[in-house]
Amino acid sequence: MSVSTERNVKRQPFKGDHVGSFLRPERLKQARAKQERGEITEQELRKIEDEEIIKLVEKQKEAGLKAVTDGDFRRSWWHFDFLEGLDGVEGFEAERGLKFDGVETKARGIKVTGKVGFTDHDMIEHFRFLKKNAGDAVAKLTIPSPNMLLFRAEREEGIYESDEALVDDLIAAYQGFIQKIYEEGCRYLQLDDTSWTTFFSEEGRTSIEEKGKNPEEVAELCARAINEAIANRPADMLITMHICRGNFRSTFMTSGSYEALSETIFGGLDVDGLFLEFDDERSGGFEPLRHVRRPDLSIVLGLITSKFGDLEDPERVKARILEASDYVAMDQLCLSPQCGFASTEEGNEITEQQQWGKVRHVVNIADEVWNEG
């Protein structure tokens, strides 16, 4: 990567950007099913993954994206696959899946079975392959935030006496991973996080209280986990966060405005940029953005939905970007879909053609708004 490209990456996300995951091609789905049935080897599956990721990278570049991902093509879940790769964390077959609006995921869970740490991780090799094949595009890696282990993992007794003790080890594990992935050439890392949306509604806060915890104290712990995990990142490494309300088969998990936690999110996190959902009324208005006080914090407006195929009215999207600029300077704003297209391997209920139409829609509108074409 050239010095000029690194400077561009560090400055902010690209004006027309994306969250990271893409619909799995049918060939890849079939290969994974065959591997699970023992009909092909892991090496044969890996070869197909490699070939499909190379195709995906080219499609992203053809659509006008300047940052490319591997689409999560080697993952089943956006979060469990990464978290299971940490020391002291194991996956297991849960009794039931995660509940979304009218639908439930397949059963899966993670459990803390020992002290959490980082020794090595499969996704380091995954990123190495992506970077090798990214060409002149920026290779972007997406991983779950440390808060997702805090919120999603069961814990065996006798390992951690408190959330704070677990977070201390989580911070150290993430610091180790971030340093290693930087050494592999990663300059654009995104943390994906659904935990923040628990605080956006009374129902979510009540769920925290029912566990005997104080929502304000938990939010403070979550902010510390993020800030300390990324505190040692090198100066030329961009770290953003995507805050999501759930994305499974075009449904959602939670609703609520950012207002309830706006001062913490917009004024208390040390990330370089925030990818935010603003695609429908469930996300509320732009008013919480008034708490953005840093001129170097990029706000990526998720105004294009990844859940449905119809293209948004471009003039309406431009008008909403202008509305957001009442709270945040226009040069700090960017545009993206509100989430990825396949947070799990099942994917959203849209076609690949519609998916790429959405991506081009983002890029075209961004080029027109910020004159980057």
Side-chain angles (χ1 to χ4, degrees):
M1 182 185 295
S2 68
V3 173
S4 61
T5 302
E6 287 191 0
R7 286 173 179 165
N8 286 340
V9 173
K10 181 58 181 176
R11 186 178 69 244
Q12 61 185 19
F14 295 103
K15 290 302 183 185
D17 216 317
H18 65 123
V19 171
S21 65
F22 287 94
L23 296 172
R24 311 305 196 260
E26 188 59 33
R27 177 183 181 229
L28 181 56
K29 289 183 177 181
Q30 292 179 3
R32 180 152 291 119
K34 288 181 179 179
Q35 194 276 324
E36 290 175 354
R37 295 193 299 265
E39 297 173 10
I40 63 173
T41 65
E42 289 188 8
Q43 291 76 15
E44 289 172 318
L45 172 60
R46 183 62 176 266
K47 182 175 183 294
I48 292 172
E49 289 174 344
D50 289 350
E51 292 170 353
E52 293 301 324
I53 288 169
I54 290 172
K55 293 177 188 176
L56 176 69
V57 167
E58 291 309 309
K59 288 179 181 178
Q60 290 174 78
K61 292 162 72 172
E62 289 170 4
L65 293 172
K66 298 176 182 177
V68 298
T69 69
D70 66 6
D72 290 0
F73 277 13
R74 303 190 200 275
R75 309 184 203 183
S76 295
W77 305 78
W78 65 273
H79 51 352
F80 290 158
D81 295 69
F82 176 85
L83 296 172
E84 289 177 25
L86 297 176
D87 300 343
V89 181
E90 296 180 9
F92 69 96
E93 294 302 316
E95 292 185 2
R96 62 182 309 169
L98 301 174
K99 289 184 178 180
F100 281 73
D101 183 46
V103 68
E104 186 174 302
T105 69
K106 60 188 177 185
R108 186 66 178 175
I110 52 172
K111 181 181 293 186
V112 174
T113 59
K115 291 294 184 181
V116 174
F118 165 74
T119 302
D120 199 359
H121 204 291
D122 289 345
M123 289 190 188
I124 293 170
E125 175 59 33
H126 299 175
F127 176 78
R128 191 178 293 137
F129 181 85
L130 173 65
K131 190 172 189 305
K132 177 183 176 182
N133 290 281
D136 57 354
V138 175
K140 173 180 176 178
L141 178 65
T142 68
I143 62 173
S145 95
N147 294 331
M148 296 316 303
L149 187 72
L150 187 64
F151 271 69
R152 287 282 180 259
E154 296 182 11
R155 303 180 208 173
E156 290 187 356
E157 293 184 9
I159 300 173
Y160 288 103
E161 296 182 357
S162 67
D163 288 347
E164 289 77 8
L166 172 58
V167 165
D168 286 342
D169 283 354
L170 258 176
I171 288 168
Y174 269 72
Q175 287 177 343
F177 179 85
I178 289 171
Q179 178 59 39
K180 180 61 177 178
I181 207 71
Y182 177 83
E183 292 170 2
E184 293 291 341
C186 181
R187 298 297 182 268
Y188 191 173
L189 178 68
Q190 177 180 297
L191 305 177
D192 295 325
D193 199 327
T194 61
S195 69
W196 296 109
T197 60
T198 308
F199 303 92
F200 293 173
S201 67
E202 284 301 317
E203 180 183 6
R205 287 174 172 264
T206 298
S207 71
I208 295 174
E209 292 171 347
E210 288 175 345
K211 296 176 182 177
K213 301 176 182 180
N214 181 297
E216 282 69 32
E217 292 177 357
V218 175
E220 184 178 339
L221 184 62
C222 288
R224 181 170 80 84
I226 296 298
N227 289 341
E228 294 187 20
I230 68 175
N232 299 332
R233 70 188 184 278
D236 62 341
M237 187 179 200
L238 177 85
I239 297 185
T240 61
M241 175 179 290
H242 171 233
I243 296 177
C244 179
R245 290 170 176 78
N247 187 52
F248 175 72
R249 288 193 178 278
S250 296
T251 65
F252 61 90
M253 181 177 285
T254 59
S255 298
S257 165
Y258 298 95
E259 187 64 48
L261 212 61
S262 56
E263 292 194 46
T264 297
I265 292 173
F266 300 123
L269 298 179
D270 297 334
V271 293
D272 299 304
L274 291 166
F275 282 74
L276 305 172
E277 293 191 338
F278 279 115
D279 60 321
D280 61 24
E281 65 280 356
R282 290 186 304 104
S283 303
F286 296 129
E287 292 81 6
L289 295 177
R290 68 187 184 279
H291 293 291
V292 175
R293 300 185 179 91
R294 283 170 42 200
D296 64 337
L297 177 64
S298 293
I299 299 297
V300 188
L301 302 173
L303 298 174
I304 307 298
T305 187
S306 67
K307 297 181 186 295
F308 309 105
D310 293 343
L311 295 181
E312 293 78 357
D313 177 358
E315 296 308 314
R316 175 56 180 154
V317 175
K318 294 174 189 176
R320 294 200 69 197
I321 294 171
L322 191 60
E323 290 173 23
S325 71
D326 288 341
Y327 303 96
V328 179
M330 183 66 82
D331 63 0
Q332 287 178 249
L333 297 175
C334 306
L335 180 66
S336 77
Q338 107 291 343
C339 196
F341 295 94
S343 299
T344 66
E345 61 186 343
E346 290 83 0
N348 282 346
E349 303 298 323
I350 64 172
T351 67
E352 285 197 38
Q353 182 178 359
Q354 290 172 327
Q355 167 184 265
W356 292 113
K358 290 281 184 173
V359 172
R360 288 190 293 271
H361 203 43
V362 167
V363 172
N364 292 339
I365 293 172
D367 287 347
E368 291 177 14
V369 170
W370 288 282
N371 298 314
E372 289 203 336

